[in-house]
């Protein structure tokens, strides 16, 4: 039996997915921002039209990490892309190749699905992750900045829509 495997998550994994999300948020010093619940995850990940997909990495049969991803689209390439939202390996399983296993699994999935790009973001202070990603061939996009509108500001922006 292989020591490490990747499998698609099922609805039965929702408590585990939430645990991984909370672990990632703690690592990123963003635990105060997590409002995800098992119910919300079930609704958004396992409905008739899921918003994202999840794979679970197991080490010696034990859940050790996860990756959550979804498709985006490149107008320049006229092809779908694969966007990695979260990749997290529990501290006790780090250094066993699971991060690379998850990343290469998703790269293969992107190729198999005809994607033109495989992208993700990384916090600028997370040098171990930056080094790891660059070692896998990733290029930091220094010219691009992420824009985000949430909460009350999203509601305010939406309320400005005036059909002509």
């Amino acid at each position: 039996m292989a020591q490490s495997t990747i499998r698609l998550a099922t609805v039965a994994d929702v408590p585990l997915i939430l645990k991984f999300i909370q672990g990632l948020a703690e690592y990123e010093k963003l635990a105060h921002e997590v409002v995800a619940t098992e119910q919300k995850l079930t609704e958004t990940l396992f409905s008739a039209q899921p918003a994202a997909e999840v794979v679970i990495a197991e080490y010696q049969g034990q859940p050790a990490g996860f990756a959550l991803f979804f498709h985006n689209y490149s107008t320049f390439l006229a092809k779908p892309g694969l966007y990695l939202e979260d990749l997290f390996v529990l501290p006790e399983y780090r250094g066993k190749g699971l991060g690379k296993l998850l990343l290469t699994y998703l790269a293969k999935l992107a190729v198999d699905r005809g994607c033109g790009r495989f992208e993700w973001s990384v916090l600028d202070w997370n040098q171990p992750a930056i080094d790891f990603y660059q070692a896998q061939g990733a290029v930091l996009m220094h010219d691009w900045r992420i824009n985000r509108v949430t909460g009350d500001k999203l509601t305010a922006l939406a309320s400005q829509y005036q059909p002509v």
Side-chain angles (χ1 to χ4, degrees), residues 17 20-21 24 54-57 64-68 86-89 102:
I17 294 167
F20 286 142
I21 291 168
L24 174 63
V54 177
V55 291
I56 306 289
F66 87 124
L68 186 144
D86 290 324
L87 187 150
F88 178 72
V89 175
L102 284 162

Side-chain angles (χ1 to χ4, degrees), residues 32-105:
H32 61 282
E33 292 189 18
V34 177
V35 296
T37 65
E38 289 181 18
Q39 180 180 348
K40 286 180 182 179
L41 291 171
T42 300
E43 291 169 1
T44 57
L45 297 177
F46 297 100
S47 66
Q49 290 187 299
E53 299 173 68
V54 177
V55 291
I56 306 289
E58 293 182 341
Y59 185 79
Q60 295 181 339
Q62 296 301 309
F66 87 124
L68 186 144
F69 60 97
F70 54 88
H71 284 277
N72 57 13
Y73 190 80
S74 168
T75 54
F76 287 11
L77 298 177
K79 286 185 167 191
L82 198 71
Y83 188 84
L84 172 60
E85 179 68 22
D86 290 324
L87 187 150
F88 178 72
V89 175
L90 292 169
E92 61 268 31
Y93 294 103
R94 293 183 188 150
K96 300 184 183 307
L98 294 171
K100 184 171 183 175
L101 186 67
L102 284 162
L103 203 64
T104 57
Y105 176 91

Side-chain angles (χ1 to χ4, degrees), residues 137-156:
V139 176
L140 285 175
M141 306 296 290
H142 294 287
D143 298 339
W144 293 86
R145 297 293 182 262
I146 297 170
N147 290 276
R148 181 177 293 167
V149 181
T150 62
D152 293 340
K153 289 182 180 181
L154 176 58
T155 303

